[in-house]
Amino acid sequence: EIVLTQSPATLSLSPGQRATLSCRASQSIRSYLAWYQQKPGQAPRLLIYDASNRASGIPARFSGSGSATDFTLTISSLEPEDFAVYYCQQRSNWPPITFGQGTRLEI
Amino acid sequence: QVQLVESGGGVVQPGGSLRLSCAAAGFTLSGYGMHWVRQAPGKGLEWVAFIRNDGNKNYYADSVKGRFTISRDNSRNTLYLQMSSLSTDDTAVYYCAKDFGQATGHFDYWGQGTLVTVSS
């Protein structure tokens, strides 16, 4: 099973700042990584798939990069609605599909 | 627009059974694989099961294998999860999620979730 480790666990920033979230895989997953945003009481929402492709309707301030074992989600300038929990997820050689433990982005 | 609406959650005793449903709208269900993903209270996301678009291939997480069965009725635009031998560890919000394609392993749409509580 591929283990995804996200860092940091919590990131405290202010609106307008740049956010950088990391996800490390226990073995190479090529570019088969997605990022999801989850707000309290809501379902997750797909932001990025296959490491760097923005999902439909996702603002350009969200970008993803990386390959093999190291991946990054960058939010270029935080908006108030961006404060949420972010999960990475891999689909390399599944099943199983696995998720990281999440990064909480807080004000 | 794509809509996924789960139902069937509730309180069940340990050892009991429950069947969840997920009604799909806004897309052709028969063209896509479908998944169940769960989230225990205050915890992260855990993939549970997958069924291919034609229903002829299923995968399960080890934690539910032999106890849960995923199925679908494309004519009714509905996905199911039959859960048996439930334990307190199965307490979670259960989401159905649409696969990007037939079996990509990424989820592009999610339902709002249904809460399953296993408690005596």
Side-chain angles (χ1 to χ4, degrees):
Chain A
E1 174 176 316
I2 295 172
V3 176
L4 299 178
T5 303
Q6 293 186 240
S7 62
T10 302
L11 185 58
S12 298
L13 293 171
S14 299
Q17 288 189 295
R18 181 184 187 90
T20 303
L21 288 67
S22 294
C23 179
R24 176 163 289 178
S26 58
Q27 64 190 75
S28 175
I29 57 171
R30 290 173 283 180
S31 294
Y32 295 141
L33 187 97
W35 291 93
Y36 300 86
Q37 176 194 68
Q38 188 178 34
K39 297 179 181 179
Q42 296 185 18
R45 177 174 71 145
L46 177 67
L47 300 174
I48 302 288
Y49 65 95
D50 289 347
S52 60
N53 298 288
R54 262 191 310 278
S56 175
I58 301 303
R61 65 180 182 274
F62 290 92
S63 63
S65 63
S67 65
T69 61
D70 289 291
F71 300 85
T72 300
L73 174 70
T74 301
I75 310 172
S76 59
S77 179
L78 286 165
E79 297 287 342
E81 62 267 28
D82 298 337
F83 292 90
V85 179
Y86 292 83
Y87 293 95
C88 58
Q89 174 251 323
Q90 68 81 25
R91 68 176 187 95
S92 176
N93 195 29
W94 67 281
I97 290 168
T98 54
F99 291 88
Q101 82 280 15
T103 290
R104 181 178 304 278
L105 178 56
E106 63 178 29
I107 298 177
Chain B
Q1 70 280 21
V2 172
Q3 278 195 310
L4 298 168
V5 179
E6 301 94 336
S7 60
V11 180
V12 60
Q13 291 189 333
S17 299
L18 208 57
R19 188 177 85 154
L20 307 183
S21 299
C22 171
F27 68 103
T28 304
L29 184 64
S30 60
Y32 296 91
M34 295 293 294
H35 303 259
W36 288 97
V37 178
R38 69 184 180 183
Q39 186 170 36
K43 303 297 185 182
L45 300 167
E46 179 188 17
W47 172 78
V48 172
F50 163 81
I51 185 166
R52 203 169 63 185
N53 64 310
D54 58 5
N56 289 334
K57 194 72 172 178
N58 306 330
Y59 298 127
Y60 297 93
D62 286 346
S63 58
V64 306
K65 201 172 294 183
R67 301 187 300 120
F68 289 14
T69 301
I70 189 171
S71 63
R72 63 194 293 159
D73 186 339
N74 287 338
S75 67
R76 295 177 182 268
N77 292 316
T78 305
L79 174 73
Y80 303 100
L81 186 68
Q82 178 69 47
M83 306 184 295
S84 61
S85 302
L86 287 162
S87 75
T88 55
D89 289 342
D90 297 314
T91 294
V93 174
Y94 285 74
Y95 297 101
C96 66
K98 174 182 168 291
D99 193 277
F100 228 89
Q102 294 184 2
T104 70
H106 281 336
F107 321 109
D108 57 354
Y109 290 94
W110 300 60
Q112 85 290 348
T114 187
L115 176 62
V116 173
T117 303
V118 183
S119 173
S120 55

